[in-house]
Amino acid sequence: MFHRWKERFLDKRSRATHREAVYKELADMKVCLALVTADAEGQRAVEGLAGRMKGVKVEGVYLAEGKEGTMEEADALVVRGGDFSFWGKLKNGRLQEVLDREYDLLVDLTAESSVLGRYVLAHSRAAFIAGRKKEGTLADVVVAPTVDTADFVNQLIEILEHIKKG
C-alpha cells in the first residue's frame, strides 16, 4: 500500500513541464544520454547506440524497477525506487548531477513506460528526446514499434540522419 502511494507521489513529480525541443544535426551532437533497463540488455543497448553515434559521448541511466544487483559495472548510474523519498523527492546526488547537465539528445531505449523513466524524462535538460512508441512517452520524436532495441537504434539513427535544421 505504501509503495503505491510513493509511486503516486513520484508520478506527480514526473509530469511533463513545458520545454521547447531544440534539435542539433547528428553530425553536431556531442553528448547523448541513454535511458535503459538495468540489465545486460540495457548495457548492450548503450554500447550499440554509442557504436552507431560516432563522435558522440553516450552516457547511460539504468532503471532498476524492483531489480537489485542487476548491473555489473560499479560506476554505472543505476536508479531505483529507494533513490526517492516517500513524497517523491530525489535523494540520489549522482542522478541529480546528470539531470542538471545539458545533453544534445536523450534516447529512451526502454520498452515500457515506468514511473522512474518518466521522472528522468521530465526532469532532464536534454535539448531533444527520442523514444519508442509506448503509452505515456514524453519524446519529441517517436519511433514506431520495433522488433528489438537494435532495430529501434537503427531506425532512430536513420531518422536523425535525415532531419535537417531549417
Side-chain angles (χ1 to χ4, degrees):
M1 180 171 163
F2 290 114
H3 177 70
R4 279 186 269 141
W5 283 354
K6 181 178 178 177
E7 276 193 352
R8 285 182 45 206
F9 287 123
L10 184 57
D11 202 31
K12 281 187 178 184
R13 290 185 180 257
S14 300
R15 300 259 161 72
T17 57
H18 177 71
R19 57 180 279 284
E20 198 155 322
V22 178
Y23 178 73
K24 280 187 177 179
E25 290 187 29
L26 190 56
D28 297 331
M29 288 186 190
K30 302 288 183 234
V31 180
C32 173
L33 183 64
L35 184 63
V36 295
T37 55
D39 54 19
E41 183 180 339
Q43 285 178 304
R44 285 190 303 273
V46 171
E47 291 166 4
L49 183 63
R52 292 294 314 271
M53 297 183 75
K54 302 288 187 217
V56 178
K57 180 181 178 188
V58 178
E59 298 176 16
V61 171
Y62 298 86
L63 303 178
E65 299 282 342
K67 303 173 193 169
E68 297 299 326
T70 55
M71 289 298 298
E72 296 171 13
E73 293 183 40
D75 63 340
L77 175 54
V78 179
V79 179
R80 295 178 172 85
D83 292 333
F84 298 88
S85 72
F86 176 79
W87 304 106
K89 185 168 169 57
L90 180 60
K91 300 188 301 184
N92 183 329
R94 279 187 67 201
L95 177 58
Q96 187 60 59
E97 289 174 17
V98 167
L99 295 176
D100 288 342
R101 254 184 254 140
E102 292 184 13
Y103 292 91
D104 298 319
L105 176 67
L106 187 155
V107 180
D108 180 3
L109 293 164
T110 59
E112 297 177 10
S113 184
S114 70
V115 173
L116 296 178
R118 285 191 303 273
Y119 184 90
V120 172
L121 291 168
H123 289 67
S124 137
R125 294 192 57 208
F128 197 77
I129 300 174
R132 292 180 177 180
K133 184 173 179 134
K134 60 186 171 186
E135 183 179 329
T137 190
L138 299 174
D140 300 314
V141 106
V142 177
V143 177
T146 56
V147 178
D148 58 15
T149 303
D151 184 40
F152 167 74
V153 169
N154 290 334
Q155 287 186 37
L156 176 63
I157 296 300
E158 190 173 312
I159 290 168
L160 295 177
E161 288 175 340
H162 287 91
I163 297 175
K164 302 289 182 201
K165 281 183 95 171

